[in-house]
Amino acid sequence: MTDEATRDRLYAAYASTHAGVAGGGSEPAFQRDIAPHLPVDRSAVILDLGCGQGQLVQHLLDHGYATSRGWDISPEQVELAHTAGSGSVHQGASP
């Protein structure tokens, strides 16, 4: 099996076999660990590579960083992000 085939097999069901399905409750960690390091300019482009189900991207959007985007290789993770309402999460190896 090629490296690419192994990668595709692993990430095809990443959420259900490894990551789980995200729920709420990440706002305190966002405020404590991430918000203090964000740029003052809310028009700054922020890209979250390996964004999973897009929780960070959604927090960024909710806090006014309108150009935030996320990318993840796992189609399952991206589908969960879309189901949760985040159209700013995209599937693929790179933007």
Side-chain angles (χ1 to χ4, degrees), residues 23-29 59:
S26 59
E27 178 69 20
H59 282 303

PDB file of all heavy atoms in Angstrom, residues 23-29 59:
ATOM      1  N   GLY A  23     -17.840  18.899  20.542  1.00  0.00           N
ATOM      2  CA  GLY A  23     -19.020  19.501  21.149  1.00  0.00           C
ATOM      3  C   GLY A  23     -18.688  20.911  21.576  1.00  0.00           C
ATOM      4  O   GLY A  23     -17.644  21.448  21.238  1.00  0.00           O
ATOM      5  N   GLY A  24     -19.547  21.499  22.334  1.00  0.00           N
ATOM      6  CA  GLY A  24     -19.330  22.853  22.814  1.00  0.00           C
ATOM      7  C   GLY A  24     -18.324  22.864  23.964  1.00  0.00           C
ATOM      8  O   GLY A  24     -17.711  21.863  24.308  1.00  0.00           O
ATOM      9  N   GLY A  25     -18.170  24.020  24.548  1.00  0.00           N
ATOM     10  CA  GLY A  25     -17.330  24.126  25.721  1.00  0.00           C
ATOM     11  C   GLY A  25     -15.893  24.524  25.484  1.00  0.00           C
ATOM     12  O   GLY A  25     -15.093  24.516  26.405  1.00  0.00           O
ATOM     13  N   SER A  26     -15.533  24.890  24.264  1.00  0.00           N
ATOM     14  CA  SER A  26     -14.140  25.250  23.997  1.00  0.00           C
ATOM     15  C   SER A  26     -13.891  26.759  24.090  1.00  0.00           C
ATOM     16  O   SER A  26     -12.760  27.201  23.967  1.00  0.00           O
ATOM     17  CB  SER A  26     -13.705  24.724  22.629  1.00  0.00           C
ATOM     18  OG  SER A  26     -14.525  25.258  21.616  1.00  0.00           O
ATOM     19  N   GLU A  27     -14.926  27.547  24.350  1.00  0.00           N
ATOM     20  CA  GLU A  27     -14.766  29.006  24.436  1.00  0.00           C
ATOM     21  C   GLU A  27     -13.793  29.427  25.538  1.00  0.00           C
ATOM     22  O   GLU A  27     -12.934  30.291  25.292  1.00  0.00           O
ATOM     23  CB  GLU A  27     -16.130  29.686  24.637  1.00  0.00           C
ATOM     24  CG  GLU A  27     -16.044  31.194  24.781  1.00  0.00           C
ATOM     25  CD  GLU A  27     -15.632  31.929  23.513  1.00  0.00           C
ATOM     26  OE1 GLU A  27     -15.761  31.378  22.414  1.00  0.00           O
ATOM     27  OE2 GLU A  27     -15.176  33.083  23.636  1.00  0.00           O
ATOM     28  N   PRO A  28     -13.849  28.855  26.750  1.00  0.00           N
ATOM     29  CA  PRO A  28     -12.877  29.278  27.776  1.00  0.00           C
ATOM     30  C   PRO A  28     -11.417  29.035  27.357  1.00  0.00           C
ATOM     31  O   PRO A  28     -10.556  29.890  27.580  1.00  0.00           O
ATOM     32  CB  PRO A  28     -13.250  28.437  28.996  1.00  0.00           C
ATOM     33  CG  PRO A  28     -14.695  28.123  28.805  1.00  0.00           C
ATOM     34  CD  PRO A  28     -14.859  27.956  27.315  1.00  0.00           C
ATOM     35  N   ALA A  29     -11.149  27.905  26.742  1.00  0.00           N
ATOM     36  CA  ALA A  29      -9.782  27.619  26.284  1.00  0.00           C
ATOM     37  C   ALA A  29      -9.385  28.588  25.173  1.00  0.00           C
ATOM     38  O   ALA A  29      -8.242  29.047  25.120  1.00  0.00           O
ATOM     39  CB  ALA A  29      -9.664  26.177  25.806  1.00  0.00           C
ATOM     40  N   HIS A  59     -14.617  29.879  16.160  1.00  0.00           N
ATOM     41  CA  HIS A  59     -14.357  30.878  17.212  1.00  0.00           C
ATOM     42  C   HIS A  59     -13.807  32.164  16.604  1.00  0.00           C
ATOM     43  O   HIS A  59     -14.217  33.266  16.991  1.00  0.00           O
ATOM     44  CB  HIS A  59     -13.362  30.345  18.247  1.00  0.00           C
ATOM     45  CG  HIS A  59     -13.946  29.400  19.232  1.00  0.00           C
ATOM     46  ND1 HIS A  59     -15.017  29.710  20.045  1.00  0.00           N
ATOM     47  CD2 HIS A  59     -13.600  28.136  19.554  1.00  0.00           C
ATOM     48  CE1 HIS A  59     -15.311  28.684  20.816  1.00  0.00           C
ATOM     49  NE2 HIS A  59     -14.456  27.711  20.535  1.00  0.00           N
TER      50      HIS A  59
END
